[in-house]
Amino acid sequence: MTQIHISIRKPKTGGLDPVTGLMRFRPVRRHFDADKNLIIAASFDADLSETGELTVDLLPTTSAFVWQVIELADTPQAYTRYVEVPDSKTKVEYADLVEVDAGTFVPKDMQGSQLLKVRHASTQSEAETLSARYPDAVVLFDETATTMKAAMAMSTLESITAEAQTNAALARSAMLSAQSSADSATATQSDLNILASNANTLAASVANDSQTVADTANAVAAKGESAIATIDSTVRAVKDKAEAATTVLPSTGTTEGTTDTGTTEETTEEPGKDSTPAKAKKATVKGA
């Protein structure tokens, strides 16, 4: 409800006098209020005080209705106005109410001008959509609700930003750790390369030493084989000479180099035995 203060005066010599009388109020057209109550076009009356003043509570008007006010009803001075009542928490003067046309509800000071079309939206985005769809209309929306939604969106963005910063810090830490691991791996690879090079050098040295030992062994073996062949040849030559030098004396006659000792054969007869003389033994002399 909005409080409307009314003050009516009449002229007199030297000033103004208060006017008493009846004020009649009636909503034009039936309509529904915010609580979905059907408000019929019924009137009510209120009396001016002795000071010619009245404060009355009226429903704020909407696009569905306006207030009809009959001043000093049922008197020759009766006058009818159709006014808009704003939704106000403070008292509003009756003289400040906007007077409108009874049929169109268009303010009288705007008659003859283009009618302003107004549409309502619940959010700014909806208002932008309606504005694009109805360019010849004014779209109104609840700025407070939109501000709250914007604040919530900003809070969400701040939360997302904080989370992104945390993730970025974690990623930076992981990258540094990976870089450190890569450096360690590079150092390890370098050490392994050095060890591999040393191993190759050692293997080459061992191979050279082994080849030297093998060559020496082969040379010794060759010399041994040569010595063995020489010994075999010498032994065979000696054996051949020994076999060639061996001579067997003939069974009769005197061989060259035999000395006659003048020994004579003796014949001894023994009873019962042959009296054939015994043969002399042969003497065999090997040549030098």
Side-chain angles (χ1 to χ4, degrees):
M1 293 287 188
T2 300
Q3 286 188 335
I4 306 299
H5 176 254
I6 302 172
S7 177
I8 300 178
R9 297 286 187 268
K10 64 181 178 179
K12 72 171 185 177
T13 302
L16 298 173
D17 280 339
V19 175
T20 59
L22 185 69
M23 299 289 294
R24 183 168 292 152
F25 303 91
R26 183 178 69 88
V28 177
R29 297 181 187 174
R30 58 192 292 278
H31 65 278
F32 292 92
D33 63 7
D35 296 329
K36 301 187 182 302
N37 297 313
L38 175 60
I39 310 301
I40 62 175
S43 64
F44 69 91
D45 296 339
D47 293 322
L48 293 167
S49 67
E50 293 180 355
T51 61
E53 295 180 281
L54 171 66
T55 299
V56 63
D57 292 336
L58 297 178
L59 287 171
T61 57
T62 65
S63 59
F65 81 103
V66 294
W67 281 101
Q68 179 193 63
V69 181
I70 301 176
E71 304 163 357
L72 303 175
D74 303 329
T75 68
Q77 289 80 27
Y79 182 83
T80 301
R81 292 182 71 201
Y82 296 91
V83 295
E84 292 179 342
V85 175
D87 186 3
S88 175
K89 302 298 182 183
T90 60
K91 188 180 295 185
V92 178
E93 294 296 329
Y94 176 66
D96 294 334
L97 297 180
V98 176
E99 193 168 352
V100 300
D101 181 86
T104 62
F105 297 169
V106 176
K108 284 188 175 182
D109 57 1
M110 293 181 62
Q111 287 182 353
S113 61
Q114 184 179 2
L115 182 63
L116 177 64
K117 298 177 181 178
V118 178
R119 292 183 178 273
H120 295 272
S122 58
T123 63
Q124 183 176 355
S125 60
E126 183 182 356
E128 292 173 352
T129 302
L130 290 175
S131 294
R133 186 180 303 171
Y134 305 103
D136 59 341
V138 174
V139 181
L140 304 178
F141 65 94
D142 188 352
E143 185 177 2
T144 302
T146 303
T147 302
M148 291 179 62
K149 289 184 178 180
M152 292 176 62
M154 182 61 68
S155 177
T156 301
L157 289 175
E158 290 175 352
S159 176
I160 293 174
T161 301
E163 184 177 359
Q165 291 175 348
T166 301
N167 292 336
L170 293 175
R172 190 179 301 108
S173 177
M175 184 176 64
L176 292 176
S177 178
Q179 184 63 41
S180 177
S181 299
D183 293 341
S184 298
T186 301
T188 302
Q189 184 63 41
S190 178
D191 293 340
L192 290 176
N193 291 337
I194 293 173
L195 291 175
S197 177
N198 292 338
N200 290 334
T201 302
L202 181 60
S205 176
V206 170
N208 290 334
D209 293 343
S210 298
Q211 186 63 40
T212 301
V213 171
D215 293 342
T216 303
N218 290 333
V220 171
K223 289 181 179 181
E225 290 177 356
S226 177
I228 290 172
T230 302
I231 292 171
D232 287 344
S233 177
T234 302
V235 170
R236 184 174 297 278
V238 171
K239 186 176 180 181
D240 290 342
K241 287 182 180 181
E243 290 178 353
T246 302
T247 303
V248 179
L249 295 177
S251 58
T252 58
T254 302
T255 61
E256 185 179 357
T258 301
T259 304
D260 187 3
T261 58
T263 303
T264 60
E265 294 180 358
E266 293 182 357
T267 302
T268 306
E269 292 183 4
E270 291 183 7
K273 290 185 179 182
D274 189 4
S275 59
T276 302
K279 295 181 179 180
K281 294 182 179 181
K282 295 179 181 179
T284 302
V285 180
K286 292 183 179 181

